[in-house]
Amino acid sequence: MKTSAKIFKALADETRLRIVALLAEGELCVCDLMAVLSLPQSTVSRHLSYLKNSGWVKDRRQGQWMHYRLAESAIPLHRALSTVLIGELPRLEPVQADKAALINHLANKKNRACR
Amino acid sequence: MKTSAKIFKALADETRLRIVALLAEGELCVCDLMAVLSLPQSTVSRHLSYLKNSGWVKDRRQGQWMHYRLAESAIPLHRALSTVLIGELPRLEPVQADKAALINHLANKKNRACR
DNA sequence: TGACTATATCCGCCTATGCGGATACTTTGG
DNA sequence: CCAAAGTATCCGCATAGGCGGATATAGTCA
């Protein structure tokens, strides 16, 4: 029960929902998220910690970059929510805008580093 | 987006999840919930307000009793989450215990008032 | 090693919200 | 109209957690 509330708590924040929606597109590093969300690094990093701590994302270090991706969970509620999020979040206008910004960002960045 | 976060916030609390699970069984009044959850009236009432305010429940006055039931929403995310909750919450042990307590409470109460 | 980049964490500040006892309001029945 | 029941709200208190600048850490490359 506590576990379930924790799963929902992680989604009870606008920024974290945006992050989850972006990660649904694939693995991203912190600097990409900063750029797309236009948020300070400490803010993005804090939310990612929260998501990691609650089991929503996994990280993977590659050189100086920390890559984050959605985690697959063994908890049925968690899995069911993932499915819902993947199906419903893309309907939201802000999510669509973020995705467009992501595509644009990745295009500009090409094979260059983050900045 | 803000709306979505609000929907999740309402579920980001153990007590509210228990209430939602109980209301999935059908309409209940505050005093029934107090008895089943073993929580003070002000606490139960506060959580019901929160759930009402976030669109999760509707109330209906019948004499001195205020009856609460799950609300049907027009918001796709909300509807999808309802389905998930109804499917997943019953798997949780604390929810099963609450349901048993509810059945017991209703049986003891019969046609008498709440106390 | 030293400089630079990417990230995590610390910090002080501020708001949201949980708790439950106390109080106020609403409805009913006599 | 009063008393009692059911409920909502107020209150003071405590903690969680949001924010973003500042600082610490980790990895890379010359």
Side-chain angles (χ1 to χ4, degrees):
Chain A
M1 208 67 196
K2 245 186 175 121
T3 307
S4 305
K6 189 175 179 183
I7 290 172
F8 281 111
K9 250 177 206 153
L11 302 176
D13 178 274
E14 206 179 341
T15 302
R16 287 197 291 271
L17 282 178
R18 292 174 71 195
I19 291 176
V20 167
L22 285 170
L23 292 183
E25 301 291 299
E27 200 179 54
L28 291 173
C29 65
V30 181
C31 54
D32 288 332
L33 287 168
M34 286 171 57
V36 173
L37 298 172
S38 297
L39 287 174
Q41 183 265 324
S42 66
T43 295
V44 173
S45 203
R46 175 165 34 79
H47 284 300
L48 285 169
S49 286
Y50 200 115
L51 287 171
K52 178 182 167 190
N53 190 278
S54 59
W56 276 100
V57 305
K58 279 212 157 83
D59 57 5
R60 175 178 70 87
R61 171 145 243 147
Q62 186 174 38
Q64 336 173 229
W65 296 273
M66 198 62 99
H67 293 263
Y68 285 88
R69 65 181 186 286
L70 292 186
E72 345 66 54
S73 170
I75 301 172
L77 173 63
H78 193 139
R79 300 175 75 88
L81 289 179
S82 288
T83 301
V84 167
L85 289 176
I86 288 172
E88 300 298 331
L89 289 181
R91 293 168 173 260
L92 305 176
E93 188 276 313
V95 168
Q96 292 167 8
D98 283 345
K99 282 192 188 176
L102 173 62
I103 289 171
N104 187 52
H105 167 73
L106 293 179
N108 283 343
K109 170 178 154 181
K110 298 261 182 187
N111 27 17
R112 290 183 294 108
C114 251
R115 55 187 53 205
Chain B
M1 209 67 197
K2 245 183 174 122
T3 307
S4 305
K6 188 175 179 183
I7 291 172
F8 282 111
K9 249 177 207 155
L11 303 176
D13 178 274
E14 206 179 340
T15 302
R16 287 197 292 271
L17 282 179
R18 292 174 71 194
I19 290 176
V20 168
L22 285 169
L23 292 182
E25 300 291 299
E27 200 179 54
L28 291 173
C29 65
V30 181
C31 55
D32 288 332
L33 288 168
M34 287 172 56
V36 173
L37 299 172
S38 297
L39 287 174
Q41 184 264 325
S42 67
T43 295
V44 173
S45 203
R46 176 166 32 81
H47 284 300
L48 285 168
S49 286
Y50 200 116
L51 286 170
K52 178 182 167 189
N53 191 278
S54 59
W56 276 99
V57 306
K58 280 214 156 84
D59 56 5
R60 175 179 69 86
R61 170 146 243 146
Q62 187 176 35
Q64 337 172 229
W65 296 273
M66 198 62 100
H67 293 262
Y68 285 89
R69 65 181 186 287
L70 292 188
E72 344 67 53
S73 171
I75 301 172
L77 174 64
H78 192 140
R79 301 174 76 87
L81 288 179
S82 288
T83 302
V84 167
L85 289 176
I86 289 172
E88 301 297 331
L89 290 183
R91 292 168 172 260
L92 306 177
E93 188 275 313
V95 168
Q96 293 168 9
D98 284 345
K99 282 193 188 176
L102 173 62
I103 290 172
N104 187 53
H105 167 73
L106 293 179
N108 284 343
K109 170 178 155 181
K110 298 260 183 190
N111 25 20
R112 290 184 295 107
C114 251
R115 53 188 53 208

